[in-house]
Amino acid sequence: MPVVIAHSHLNPGGVTRIIESQIDSLEGEEIKVLVGACPDESIIKEKNAELHIIPELDYLDRHQYTEQEAKEMLHKIHADIREQLTPDTVLHFHNLNLGKNPIVTYAVYLLAKEGVKVFNHAHDFAEDRPSNYSFLEEIIYDIFLQDINEVLYPKLPNYHFGVLNSFDFDRLKELGVTEDRIEWLPNPVTFNTSDDLPEKADAKQTVCEELNIDCNKLLVTYPVRVIQRKNIGEFILLYILFRHRVNFAVTQPPQNPVEIEMYNQWIEFCRVNEIDIIFEAGTKVNFEKLLRGSDFCITTSYKEGFGMVYLEPWLLDTPVVGRDIDFITRDFKDDGFSFPTLYYKLNIPGIKTDFKDLNLKMQMEIISGVLSEKIEKQKLFEQNPILNTLFSDVSSHVTEKNKTIIKNNYSLKGYGIKLQKRYKKMVG
């Protein structure tokens, strides 16, 4: 059965990793990949999949488009995608409803109206990002005069959805998508642990030497690319509270120019205030060894599509602590997962708002207040009792149980079986 997997780009990140996993899980199928940009074409070609780059699939520049411009782009995108399809092809499109390119969203809707079998793999939703949704309105409603909900969630038997969690499954049902057209498709955990990986203590010793940090302190790693929703200010605040006994590292810088400005402000803030967090640790030491050598992985993110950070580190015997995102972790907990220390809110003395909801300037002011002792650390611990156990020892029993659940419930093989069943249901 021919499958065309499409996305705006193949830049390093979560969606690209999932596309790679899908190709691996669909071994034996005829697969093409359509993207707007691909910095490393070998990642697809080495998997014996066809790669076609259609620049118009990439994110659309945000400016005022004339009706003529929009219609010309629509015609080209529609024709370029249509050229890659046969009558029995499943078009598996990632993040089609995110609002980064409304013309692509509308083109795929039109293809579905013509009978193309579309599988809309929803990692994120424009409804959660107001500027993206307004961009959809500008193009789909103002220029093409179409009902946005109909374009995003068409009531067509050949238009199916994939979601990452039960929260999004329920969301689609509320938006009018019938349950038989929704596949609950948790991401596979495909973290490759090397056979020759050193023991945890040896890995930590090596990493600490390479990073020139004290091996006698705990090593806590935030394995993310620093973007707004990863809430790096909270990560920095926690470091201030624990730096007498903990080293903190975060793995990657952002790539989006909008995010880089925020990131640079935090880098400068840490430099001026002599806050010794290790930024971009993933570019300085082997990533796998870093996670293996870490005593804990931490997350302060307040928004995730799937929440891979809650799962992967356990495969390297590294517990995960930090901020809980209930609509993400509830699925893992339902599977039997145990998380040692997760919290829902970080209270600040004298402020009613959760720390994550404060803007960058206010977060910096609070951290400065803790550094200058205007805000007492003791009061922070009193108002957030869970911090007292944030880095408590985790039993090997919990680690082994979580590893077993990952291997049983989030395997690549099981993922491929689910996908193939859904495709066959669509093709008939």
Side-chain angles (χ1 to χ4, degrees):
M1 165 192 357
V3 178
V4 169
I5 298 173
H7 184 42
S8 50
H9 60 75
L10 284 177
N11 296 335
V15 176
T16 297
R17 287 176 61 191
I18 296 307
I19 289 172
E20 292 179 61
S21 295
Q22 283 170 351
I23 296 169
D24 291 338
S25 74
L26 295 168
E27 192 175 356
E29 301 287 4
E30 179 190 331
I31 297 173
K32 292 180 183 178
V33 177
L34 310 184
V35 290
C38 180
D40 182 5
E41 298 185 10
S42 66
I43 63 173
I44 299 301
K45 293 179 178 177
E46 286 173 359
K47 296 180 183 297
N48 295 318
E50 282 186 38
L51 175 66
H52 298 269
I53 296 176
I54 302 172
E56 289 79 11
L57 297 186
D58 207 346
Y59 295 164
L60 188 62
D61 289 337
R62 186 73 186 264
H63 66 77
Q64 199 73 38
Y65 289 90
T66 65
E67 182 178 342
Q68 183 65 25
E69 285 176 322
K71 286 184 174 178
E72 285 177 3
M73 275 190 273
L74 175 67
H75 177 75
K76 184 171 191 329
I77 290 166
H78 179 280
D80 285 351
I81 297 175
R82 167 63 82 181
E83 187 181 336
Q84 303 298 332
L85 309 176
T86 60
D88 58 344
T89 296
V90 173
L91 176 59
H92 184 143
F93 219 111
H94 288 268
N95 256 352
L96 191 56
N97 287 11
L98 181 56
K100 291 287 192 177
N101 191 328
I103 296 178
V104 169
T105 306
Y106 185 49
V108 174
Y109 165 75
L110 293 177
L111 287 165
K113 292 266 285 184
E114 294 163 13
V116 171
K117 297 156 189 70
V118 174
F119 186 72
N120 183 339
H121 198 145
H123 301 257
D124 305 284
F125 291 78
E127 288 86 344
D128 299 328
R129 305 186 187 188
S131 65
N132 289 15
Y133 197 82
S134 67
F135 195 23
L136 285 165
E137 290 178 319
E138 289 170 21
I139 301 290
I140 292 172
Y141 182 76
D142 294 346
I143 293 181
F144 293 118
L145 309 178
Q146 296 293 314
D147 179 85
I148 291 180
N149 278 351
E150 167 60 20
V151 172
L152 297 182
Y153 310 104
K155 296 176 175 59
L156 298 170
N158 55 306
Y159 196 113
H160 292 217
F161 288 84
V163 293
L164 309 186
N165 53 61
S166 59
F167 178 85
D168 289 339
F169 191 96
D170 293 338
R171 179 205 296 242
L172 284 182
K173 287 199 293 182
E174 289 172 6
L175 287 164
V177 182
T178 54
E179 193 166 323
D180 63 306
R181 292 192 291 123
I182 312 171
E183 185 71 44
W184 183 359
L185 200 62
N187 290 340
V189 181
T190 57
F191 199 84
N192 294 319
T193 52
S194 303
D195 293 335
D196 60 349
L197 204 62
E199 291 296 319
K200 197 163 187 67
D202 294 335
K204 181 178 179 181
Q205 181 73 38
T206 301
V207 166
C208 287
E209 288 174 2
E210 290 176 348
L211 294 175
N212 195 27
I213 56 177
D214 185 355
C215 198
N216 294 314
K217 289 185 176 183
L218 293 176
L219 175 57
V220 176
T221 299
Y222 193 6
V224 293
R225 187 175 296 286
V226 178
I227 57 176
Q228 189 71 42
R229 63 185 173 88
K230 301 300 182 180
N231 193 18
I232 194 68
E234 186 164 307
F235 176 72
I236 294 167
L237 175 60
L238 290 174
Y239 169 71
I240 299 300
L241 299 180
F242 291 98
R243 64 177 172 181
H244 59 289
R245 65 185 184 96
V246 178
N247 286 309
F248 267 34
V250 63
T251 52
Q252 293 291 337
Q255 289 187 321
N256 186 324
V258 176
E259 304 280 6
I260 288 171
E261 182 182 350
M262 170 274 301
Y263 179 69
N264 287 337
Q265 287 184 61
W266 280 116
I267 294 282
E268 179 64 11
F269 178 81
C270 289
R271 186 191 67 79
V272 169
N273 291 282
E274 298 181 342
I275 298 170
D276 296 325
I277 285 170
I278 303 147
F279 287 94
E280 302 176 26
T283 67
K284 298 169 183 174
V285 295
N286 175 270
F287 178 73
E288 187 181 49
K289 195 182 291 182
L290 173 62
L291 261 58
R292 173 70 161 178
S294 296
D295 295 285
F296 293 90
C297 277
I298 192 168
T299 174
T300 54
S301 173
Y302 54 77
K303 182 164 185 56
E304 294 292 324
F306 174 68
M308 193 68 82
V309 68
Y310 291 105
L311 302 184
E312 284 183 335
W314 294 98
L315 295 177
L316 294 166
D317 299 319
T318 304
V320 180
V321 300
R323 184 174 278 274
D324 200 341
I325 305 175
D326 181 61
F327 73 87
I328 297 292
T329 60
R330 72 184 185 189
D331 293 336
F332 306 145
K333 292 170 185 173
D334 286 347
D335 286 335
F337 239 83
S338 294
F339 293 103
T341 320
L342 297 179
Y343 59 86
Y344 289 107
K345 187 178 181 183
L346 194 60
N347 299 303
I348 305 299
I351 296 177
K352 294 182 179 180
T353 306
D354 186 352
F355 186 81
K356 76 172 176 63
D357 295 324
L358 302 174
N359 62 32
L360 182 144
K361 184 173 181 288
M362 291 185 70
Q363 288 191 347
M364 286 183 174
E365 286 175 0
I366 287 167
I367 295 169
S368 297
V370 176
L371 286 168
S372 66
E373 300 183 355
K374 288 179 182 176
I375 298 174
E376 295 178 33
K377 288 184 183 179
Q378 181 186 343
K379 288 188 177 178
L380 273 164
F381 280 90
E382 287 173 359
Q383 293 195 15
N384 302 279
I386 199 158
L387 294 181
N388 292 297
T389 58
L390 189 62
F391 300 120
S392 297
D393 289 342
V394 177
S395 73
S396 58
H397 168 72
V398 169
T399 301
E400 290 305 317
K401 184 181 81 166
N402 288 350
K403 285 167 72 173
T404 299
I405 292 169
I406 291 171
K407 290 170 183 174
N408 290 343
N409 295 19
Y410 300 91
S411 73
L412 189 65
K413 183 178 179 182
Y415 186 81
I417 290 169
K418 268 191 170 184
L419 268 182
Q420 286 171 319
K421 281 184 178 177
R422 174 58 57 171
Y423 293 160
K424 285 173 183 171
K425 182 176 182 178
M426 294 173 70
V427 172

